[in-house]
Amino acid sequence: MVSQQYQDNIDTLLQKIQEAEVIVVGGAAGMSAAAGYNWYRDDAMFRKYFNVFAEKYGIDSIFGGFYYKFRTEEERWAYLSTLINFVASVPIGQPYKDLDNLLQGKNYFILTTNQDTQFLQVFPEEKVSAIQGNWTYLQCSGPCHDEIYPYAEQAKELCSHIEGTRIPSSMIPTCPECGGPMELWVRSFVFLEGTKYKSEMEKYREFLLENKDKKVLFLELGVGQMTPMFIKEPFWNMTYSWPNAYYITINPKDALLPRELTDKGLAIHEDIARVLQDALGEKEKIGQ
């Protein structure tokens, strides 16, 4: 049996979604964790796809493998191709499907720091800004030029050539312009903030400018405290300064509500998957 507080939170969430003229969603790692894809944990999902690397190198998470100092490029790209193939092939998480249903008929936009493409597999690309890159694209490590390259199909092929934890030297990707090493197009010291990155930021800015005077709901899903400057803090600032804005954060650990937003916000300290599923169930029950 659910508590009255929990039910009140579900009712408020549905009410604010229904009342909003515009919904701005901020999605981060907690959203994918709620879907069963935890990038920081040694769990069954990690072992299913990355066990050979975990056993040989002591890697204990997907991110741990990404930052691991492999001794050779053959080993590193065996891991990276496995990572890319994982991102491109795993099923869409249920929380993403439930969010899609909750947003049906609404004017919305999604800002995400996730690089796993889950949002992009559910929502139209013009409705999503992935501002930290995309695991399925490569860039020159220089970078010597302003271009990113889709690499999901090539990574799948690479995975079929892994022997132990290595790929053949001839299959290590190189830059088509300078011949130098390639990197995944994700936030790092060499992250290419070129045309694609700028277009992601511009989509988001244009949406905010077009809708800042409307009744806006800022819905934050799974944003932690590692990089609050991308979603959490801007959402707080806009909610505070925009007269018709409201803020809801859903996160079992990091649902933070500043004192200044007491009357303009709600923090739901619960599992995101459960909240979205229950909200959708309630929406269907009342026929919204």
Side-chain angles (χ1 to χ4, degrees):
M1 185 174 180
V2 301
S3 68
Q4 187 59 51
Q5 180 64 59
Y6 181 80
Q7 187 59 51
D8 289 346
N9 287 342
I10 295 296
D11 292 343
T12 299
L13 173 62
L14 281 177
Q15 177 192 345
K16 295 301 181 181
I17 289 175
Q18 183 181 25
E19 291 177 352
E21 297 175 277
V22 174
I23 299 174
V24 182
V25 176
M31 183 69 170
S32 285
Y37 305 131
N38 194 313
W39 291 69
Y40 300 94
R41 186 179 300 165
D42 186 350
D43 57 12
M45 181 66 69
F46 172 69
R47 290 288 173 163
K48 178 180 178 180
Y49 289 90
F50 301 93
N51 188 58
V52 63
F53 300 97
E55 291 190 345
K56 182 170 182 178
Y57 304 104
I59 294 167
D60 60 1
S61 68
I62 299 175
F63 264 132
F66 178 66
Y67 290 110
Y68 185 82
K69 300 295 185 183
F70 291 96
R71 288 178 298 174
T72 68
E73 286 296 291
E74 288 82 358
E75 292 169 285
R76 180 169 181 260
W77 278 99
Y79 181 85
L80 293 180
S81 61
T82 301
L83 190 161
I84 298 168
N85 193 48
F86 164 79
V87 167
S89 64
V90 294
I92 297 168
Q94 190 60 45
Y96 291 92
K97 298 177 183 178
D98 292 342
L99 177 65
D100 183 32
N101 284 320
L102 286 168
L103 294 178
Q104 288 297 313
K106 306 301 295 189
N107 182 18
Y108 69 87
F109 194 88
I110 297 167
L111 178 71
T112 182
T113 52
N114 289 350
Q115 302 151 335
D116 60 11
T117 77
Q118 288 273 307
F119 277 115
L120 288 166
Q121 292 184 57
V122 178
F123 299 95
E125 186 175 1
E126 65 269 17
K127 288 286 190 180
V128 180
S129 280
I131 59 169
Q132 295 282 67
N134 182 325
W135 289 107
T136 68
Y137 279 77
L138 299 189
Q139 63 163 86
C140 173
S141 64
C144 76
H145 65 295
D146 181 12
E147 188 67 55
I148 61 173
Y149 301 89
Y151 203 72
E153 290 302 316
Q154 295 92 326
K156 185 177 181 180
E157 175 67 17
L158 274 183
C159 286
S160 69
H161 292 272
I162 294 175
E163 295 184 5
T165 58
R166 301 171 63 90
I167 62 167
S169 300
S170 61
M171 300 189 76
I172 297 171
T174 56
C175 176
E177 296 292 330
C178 70
M182 297 290 274
E183 289 291 337
L184 274 65
W185 186 62
V186 294
R187 177 64 62 180
S188 70
F189 291 116
V190 298
F191 182 53
L192 175 60
E193 295 185 359
T195 300
K196 177 60 175 173
Y197 172 80
K198 291 172 183 175
S199 72
E200 296 299 299
M201 297 298 295
E202 189 59 27
K203 278 191 298 184
Y204 178 54
R205 281 195 292 264
E206 287 181 359
F207 186 85
L208 293 177
L209 286 172
E210 289 171 3
N211 295 289
K212 62 185 179 67
D213 296 323
K214 297 177 182 177
K215 197 166 191 176
V216 180
L217 170 62
F218 289 99
L219 179 58
E220 180 190 289
L221 302 171
V223 179
Q225 299 184 61
M226 185 179 296
T227 53
M229 72 290 293
F230 294 116
I231 296 175
K232 189 181 291 290
E233 291 173 354
F235 275 23
W236 289 348
N237 292 334
M238 286 184 285
T239 302
Y240 181 76
S241 60
W242 294 6
N244 299 315
Y246 194 86
Y247 167 77
I248 295 179
T249 173
I250 308 172
N251 198 319
K253 293 193 302 181
D254 295 309
L256 306 176
L257 185 67
R259 182 177 63 256
E260 292 82 0
L261 298 181
T262 300
D263 297 326
K264 297 187 71 178
L266 173 67
I268 302 178
H269 300 270
E270 301 286 349
D271 176 68
I272 297 169
R274 180 192 175 198
V275 171
L276 295 181
Q277 184 178 61
D278 289 348
L280 181 59
E282 189 72 16
K283 175 185 177 182
E284 293 171 346
K285 185 167 68 177
I286 64 180
Q288 283 188 2

